[in-house]
């Protein structure tokens, strides 16, 4: 038995915490501490500690399954692959390539996400590809691109957070969603900084705050505008910064001035004194940050809401300066890299736009195809799922479980059932996989090598630690075999490093440039921040600063890493870009853009029939749709099922007591779960976690109303009524 441990990263959230995997006498692996990785310094949440449990053959798939007589039965790989290729080929021949849908996931490695996008466009010829990351941070991405010209979740490392003066954390319960990150905010306060949390619930995170603002769900946009109004009224605008580094201020200022404090108080429920205190706390330190998460982003006005928080940063000079800026806390493990390299409906590798002729030419040359053969942009995630069974006749799905995770989930479940053909690649038999015509068992994190990009924009190498069970193959092997069966013999390698080398070429020169990154560098340097072109940045680099910041917040200049032996020994190596925008923003003129925005109501406000807000989120012991974590005994013991969190005043009106089964009803359906009564939530709001299927499925209720820019559904706010279920 091998006794050495393998350094790698957690399979769950976008922190991508470092861990070691060590062999056990029984032939499995256990997680051991890895203190050298700076994000978590050895600390792990319960999900990370128990991650090896999902490697067990007791809970995971180890054989392909095909539907026979209405039942999924074991099959050989050749039989399963032949069935998929035959179905896709027949549907394409009969209905055209856009009758073939592809749906990916934010948990796929960069290599797999890249290959899936290439497979859809080169092998299938379809435009109908998107991924579940559309449900994660697409509004933050759209807002960041509008303002800065570039989207990267955090434009600075997490290690900068304790060194700033104030953080406004909007709609994030990171104490439960990414617990190891909480220490950065604890250290912030220990260093004399302050934390403001914006959340309609008094979460474990809000309990750590110096100031907790509890707005009505769906009013984060008004709140941000009210704060900006006060910044102007109190003379706190950094006029020199606005003049020298931004454009569009007058229009944004005029929009904000329509949101005076008393008006914002009526909209949000946040008092004027609290608004003034938040402005004081944010503006008095030399440096400050705003960090958003799904709360403000998963709204039908999420892009504008993000834009309003960015405007607050720009007006006060808190972007593109050391220890300051706007950032987004990405949720999924590869939510950042997953959208950079081609599985998103409108993008090509390197974060290039699919409708840009120059981008099409570059990527087509790498792929060895005619640029005109590449299809144009397709539908966004919810729109793609909503079209299943109509224009889209088949779906190839990887690393996603929309039966649980999609808004208006009962409707999406019916759309999946209406398909002519559904093929799913997954580790476990998820609720979506159970509906498939063919299910392929694929390798998971500890059984394969590949890169992930964390919420910091740090590209990391997850390394294979164990041999997968017999009967399990990688997603790269699946796409290689399907491509060959569909007539494309070359261009789909199964070795992840070979795929990454092609990804480097495809991304070169794009906004998310990985061309200077190699597997060797990732091992030696504990990850590399993109953009990292194959040559050093110059003073005229069009997008970012490659500067570093030392412990005192001063510009520390460039540190050149050792040359990569694969390159010319005389050629310098770009160090990567931990901190963006210190010299200029990624716009044509280097200036950040104010975007004028105004508050508007949620797509669905409470009324007499549905008088209560519903908001949704995660709990510490489960992850996303729960497809994997619900198979871990320790995690199920900590979080065994769904619940409805409500205020005692609402419970009293309903005549409900702790543990009573409550029905939560929206215009889309009904969910039932036990009551959890707490003063830590607004009386006009109920909360449900979204990890479970069945009658407690929270996404049965949620509203698929889409943001007009990002196409993000409005998961975080809808109107419901609550009823006590008769025992």
């Amino acid at each position: 038995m091998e006794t050495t441990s393998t350094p790698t990263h957690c399979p769950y959230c976008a922190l991508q915490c470092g861990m070691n995997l060590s062999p056990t006498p029984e032939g499995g692996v256990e997680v051991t501490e890895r203190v050298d990785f700076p994000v978590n310094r050895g600390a792990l949440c319960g999900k990370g500690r128990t991650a090896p449990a999902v490697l067990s053959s007791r809970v995971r798939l180890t054989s392909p399954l095909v539907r026979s007589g209405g039942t999924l039965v074991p099959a050989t790989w050749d039989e399963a692959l032949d069935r998929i290729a035959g179905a896709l080929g027949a549907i394409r021949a009969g209905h055209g390539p856009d009758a073939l849908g592809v749906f990916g996931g934010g948990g796929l490695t960069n290599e797999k996400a890249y290959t899936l996008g290439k497979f859809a466009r080169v092998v299938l010829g379809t435009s109908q590809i998107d991924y579940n990351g559309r449900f994660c941070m697409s509004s933050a991405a759209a807002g960041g691109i509008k303002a800065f010209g570039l989207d990267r979740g955090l434009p600075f490392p997490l290690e900068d957070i304790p060194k700033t003066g104030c953080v406004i954390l909007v709609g994030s319960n990171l104490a439960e969603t990414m617990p190891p990150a909480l220490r950065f905010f604890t250290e912030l306060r220990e260093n004399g900084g302050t934390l403001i949390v914006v959340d309609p619930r008094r979460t474990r995170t809000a309990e750590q705050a110096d100031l907790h603002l509890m707005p009505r769900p769906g009013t984060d946009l008004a709140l941000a505008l009210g704060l900006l109004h006060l910044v102007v009224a109190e003379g706190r605008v950094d006029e020199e910064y606005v003049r020298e580094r931004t454009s569009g201020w007058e229009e944004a200022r005029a929009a904000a001035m329509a949101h005076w404090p008393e008006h914002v108080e009526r909209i949000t429920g946040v008092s004027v004194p609290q608004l003034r205190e938040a402005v004081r706390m944010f503006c008095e330190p030399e440096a400050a940050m705003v960090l958003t998460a799904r709360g403000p982003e998963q709204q039908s006005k999420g892009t504008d809401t993000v834009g309003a928080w960015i405007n607050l940063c720009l007006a006060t000079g808190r972007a593109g300066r050391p220890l300051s800026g706007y950032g987004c806390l990405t949720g999924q493990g590869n939510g950042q890299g997953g959208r950079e390299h081609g599985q998103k409906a409108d993008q090509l590798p390197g974060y290039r736009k699919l409708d840009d002729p120059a981008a099409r030419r570059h990527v087509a040359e790498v792929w060895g195809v005619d640029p005109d053969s590449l299809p144009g942009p397709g539908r966004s995630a919810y729109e793609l799922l909503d079209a299943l069974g109509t224009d889209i006749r088949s779906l190839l799905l990887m690393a996603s479980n929309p039966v649980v995770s999609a808004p208006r989930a009962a409707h999406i479940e019916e759309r999946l059932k209406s398909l002519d053909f559904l093929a799913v690649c997954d580790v476990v038999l998820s609720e979506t996989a159970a509906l498939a015509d063919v299910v392929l068992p694929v390798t998971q994190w500890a059984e394969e090598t590949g890169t992930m990009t964390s919420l910091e924009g740090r590209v990391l190498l997850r390394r294979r630690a164990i041999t997968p069970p017999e009967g399990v193959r990688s997603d790269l092997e699946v796409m290689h075999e399907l491509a060959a069966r569909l007539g494309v013999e070359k261009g789909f390698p199964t070795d992840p490093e070979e795929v990454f080398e092609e990804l480097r070429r495809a991304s070169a020169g794009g906004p998310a440039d990985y061309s200077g990154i190699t597997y060797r560098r990732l091992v030696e340097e504990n990850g590399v921040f993109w953009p990292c072109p194959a040559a050093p940045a110059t003073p005229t680099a069009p997008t970012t600063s490659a500067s570093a910041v030392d412990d005192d917040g001063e510009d520390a200049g460039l540190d050149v890493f050792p040359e990569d032996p694969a390159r010319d020994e005389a050629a310098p190596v770009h160090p990567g870009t931990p901190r963006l925008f210190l010299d200029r923003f990624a716009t044509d003129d280097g200036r950040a853009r104010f975007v004028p925005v105004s508050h508007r109501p949620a797509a669905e406000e409470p009324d007499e029939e549905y008088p209560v807000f519903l908001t949704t989120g995660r709990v510490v012991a489960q992850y996303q749709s729960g497809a994997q974590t619900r198979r871990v005994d320790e995690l199920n013991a900590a979080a065994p099922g769904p619940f409805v969190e409500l205020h005692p005043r609402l419970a009293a009106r309903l005549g409900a007591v702790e543990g009573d089964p409550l029905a939560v009803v929206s215009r889309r359906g009904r969910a039932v779960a036990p009551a959890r009564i707490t003063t830590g939530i607004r009386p006009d709001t109920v909360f449900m976690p979204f990890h479970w299927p069945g009658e407690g499925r929270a996404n049965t209720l949620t509203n698929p109303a889409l943001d007009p820019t990002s196409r993000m559904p409005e998961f975080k706010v809808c109107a419901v009524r609550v009823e006590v279920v008769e025992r």
Side-chain angles (χ1 to χ4, degrees):
M1 184 185 74
E2 295 183 4
T3 58
T4 57
S5 64
T6 302
T8 188
H9 295 272
C10 178
Y12 292 115
C13 83
L15 285 181
Q16 285 298 287
C17 290
M19 58 169 61
N20 288 315
L21 291 181
S22 301
T24 65
E26 296 77 23
V29 291
E30 64 178 353
V31 170
T32 56
E33 191 176 70
R34 179 182 169 193
V35 298
D36 69 306
F37 189 62
V39 169
N40 63 310
R41 302 178 197 164
L44 292 168
C45 72
K47 296 185 291 290
R49 284 190 300 99
T50 61
V54 188
L55 298 168
S56 168
S57 297
R58 181 176 63 86
V59 299
R60 55 94 57 82
L61 296 169
T62 57
S63 170
L65 304 174
V66 300
R67 191 163 297 279
S68 176
T71 302
L72 287 171
V73 298
T76 67
W77 269 95
D78 281 341
E79 181 183 356
L81 291 166
D82 287 346
R83 187 176 292 198
I84 295 173
L88 297 182
I91 291 169
R92 182 174 59 182
H95 303 280
D98 276 355
L100 307 178
V102 178
F103 200 83
L108 293 175
T109 63
N110 289 315
E111 292 81 359
K112 292 191 283 190
Y114 169 85
T115 302
L116 186 61
K118 181 180 179 182
F119 179 86
R121 296 178 174 108
V122 173
V123 178
L124 301 182
T126 183
S127 67
Q128 300 304 304
I129 175 173
D130 209 52
Y131 82 126
N132 63 18
R134 179 78 67 172
F135 300 157
C136 180
M137 61 173 292
S138 56
S139 291
I145 290 170
K146 283 186 176 185
F148 307 132
L150 184 72
D151 155 46
R152 195 179 86 186
L154 292 181
F156 42 73
L158 285 162
E159 66 188 35
D160 284 1
I161 290 173
K163 304 169 190 174
T164 193
C166 178
V167 174
I168 302 180
L169 185 61
V170 190
S172 170
N173 182 16
L174 56 81
E176 297 205 49
T177 59
M178 46 182 66
L182 187 63
R183 70 172 177 83
F184 293 104
F185 299 87
T186 302
E187 291 172 8
L188 164 74
R189 299 181 71 210
E190 290 172 348
N191 292 340
T194 56
L195 174 63
I196 302 169
V197 170
V198 179
D199 200 304
R201 304 169 59 223
R202 188 159 183 80
T203 63
R204 295 182 188 180
T205 306
E207 289 172 354
Q208 309 299 314
D210 297 282
L211 178 64
H212 177 203
L213 308 180
M214 297 181 72
R216 292 186 183 94
T219 64
D220 306 272
L221 174 53
L223 178 64
L225 288 164
L227 297 179
L228 182 53
H229 177 110
L230 285 170
V231 165
V232 176
E234 295 177 3
R236 297 180 184 272
V237 176
D238 187 332
E239 301 286 357
E240 181 181 0
Y241 174 93
V242 168
R243 183 172 58 254
E244 294 183 356
R245 298 204 62 189
T246 73
S247 62
W249 168 233
E250 291 305 319
E251 295 84 354
R253 178 185 181 279
M257 297 314 287
H259 298 77
W260 61 95
E262 293 77 13
H263 179 49
V264 169
E265 181 181 71
R266 288 193 293 271
I267 294 172
T268 65
V270 177
S271 70
V272 172
Q274 284 187 309
L275 296 173
R276 293 189 184 279
E277 178 64 4
V279 168
R280 183 196 67 78
M281 292 169 63
F282 185 68
C283 291
E284 284 189 353
E286 183 177 346
M289 300 173 179
V290 172
L291 304 177
T292 66
R294 305 302 81 73
E297 298 162 16
Q298 288 181 327
Q299 298 184 28
S300 59
K301 53 183 180 295
T303 301
D304 285 357
T305 302
V306 167
W309 288 106
I310 291 175
N311 287 348
L312 178 66
C313 291
L314 295 176
T316 54
R318 308 308 178 93
R321 283 178 167 172
L323 307 179
S324 287
Y326 164 79
C328 166
L329 299 174
T330 308
Q332 292 195 77
N334 201 29
Q336 181 69 54
R339 70 181 179 283
E340 294 168 1
H341 297 300
Q343 65 172 330
K344 196 161 173 273
D346 57 350
Q347 286 177 358
L348 288 169
Y351 225 143
R352 289 179 161 90
K353 299 296 290 183
L354 188 53
D355 56 4
D356 176 0
R360 293 170 67 88
R361 286 195 298 272
H362 173 86
V363 174
E365 182 177 358
V366 173
W367 288 352
V369 299
D370 184 339
D372 292 337
S373 70
L374 299 177
R379 293 175 172 92
S380 71
Y382 180 79
E383 292 166 304
L384 189 157
L385 295 172
D386 188 43
L388 299 180
T390 56
D391 296 341
I392 301 175
R393 311 295 290 266
S394 71
L395 185 69
L396 173 63
L397 183 144
M398 290 185 174
S400 189
N401 188 17
V403 166
V404 178
S405 63
R408 197 185 173 197
H411 170 72
I412 297 305
E413 183 175 354
E414 291 305 311
R415 300 318 315 148
L416 286 159
K417 291 177 180 176
S418 73
L419 285 165
D420 293 353
F421 186 80
L422 172 63
V424 173
C425 299
D426 210 331
V427 172
V428 298
L429 189 66
S430 70
E431 288 74 21
T432 303
L435 302 179
D437 296 285
V438 178
V439 183
L440 299 180
V442 291
T443 51
Q444 52 181 309
W445 62 292
E447 301 162 349
E448 60 186 12
T449 294
T451 60
M452 307 286 279
T453 306
S454 75
L455 78 172
E456 303 175 294
R458 188 196 305 251
V459 185
L460 303 162
L461 186 65
R462 275 200 329 209
R463 278 168 275 194
R464 174 171 165 160
I466 60 173
T467 302
E470 185 178 353
V472 173
R473 299 185 185 180
S474 75
D475 297 281
L476 294 179
E477 292 176 283
V478 168
M479 288 182 278
H480 172 86
E481 293 289 341
L482 289 177
R485 284 167 167 80
L486 290 165
V488 180
E489 298 286 345
K490 297 181 179 180
F492 290 87
T494 61
D495 176 59
E497 188 167 9
E498 185 177 349
V499 175
F500 190 79
E501 289 301 305
E502 182 179 303
L503 182 157
R504 292 176 62 199
R505 299 195 302 276
S507 73
D513 190 335
Y514 284 29
S515 61
I517 303 174
T518 64
Y519 273 27
R520 179 173 179 236
R521 285 192 64 181
L522 295 179
V523 171
E524 293 177 347
E525 300 168 27
N526 235 340
V528 177
F529 292 85
W530 73 261
C532 182
T538 68
T540 57
T543 57
T544 64
S545 167
S547 299
V549 175
D550 67 17
D551 288 344
D552 296 320
E554 300 297 328
D555 188 350
L558 293 175
D559 289 318
V560 178
F561 290 107
E563 291 83 12
D564 189 316
R567 293 175 46 81
D568 183 340
E569 290 187 2
V573 175
H574 191 286
T577 315
R579 296 166 181 88
L580 299 171
F581 313 137
L582 296 181
D583 300 328
R584 66 195 313 274
F585 294 96
T587 55
D588 291 342
D589 59 5
R591 292 173 172 265
R593 309 278 193 253
F594 282 97
V595 178
V597 294
S598 296
H599 174 71
R600 60 183 185 274
E604 185 177 84
E605 294 281 336
D607 56 21
E608 289 187 5
E609 187 176 2
Y610 302 96
V612 177
F613 290 107
L614 168 70
T615 192
T616 64
R618 286 168 48 190
V619 297
V620 66
Q622 300 289 352
Y623 180 73
Q624 305 299 72
S625 76
Q628 295 183 46
T629 52
R630 285 187 277 110
R631 288 166 167 81
V632 179
D633 293 340
E634 181 179 330
L635 300 179
N636 284 333
F643 56 87
V644 180
E645 186 177 280
L646 72 165
H647 192 275
R649 295 216 299 265
L650 177 56
R653 289 203 302 272
L654 296 170
V657 299
E658 183 79 11
D660 272 353
L662 297 180
V664 183
V665 184
S666 78
R667 289 177 173 86
R668 289 153 295 281
R670 180 176 187 267
V672 177
R676 183 174 294 183
I677 300 172
T678 174
T679 57
I681 191 169
R682 292 178 55 92
D684 58 2
T685 302
V686 296
F687 166 83
M688 291 187 70
F690 54 66
H691 309 290
W692 288 273
E695 70 170 5
R697 181 174 59 185
N699 278 319
T700 297
L701 309 168
T702 49
N703 191 352
L706 301 180
D707 180 289
T709 301
S710 68
R711 316 309 288 170
M712 167 78 85
E714 193 156 56
F715 285 100
K716 279 296 182 282
V717 52
C718 69
V720 299
R721 66 174 181 267
V722 185
E723 304 164 343
V724 177
V725 177
E726 294 295 329
R727 291 185 181 273

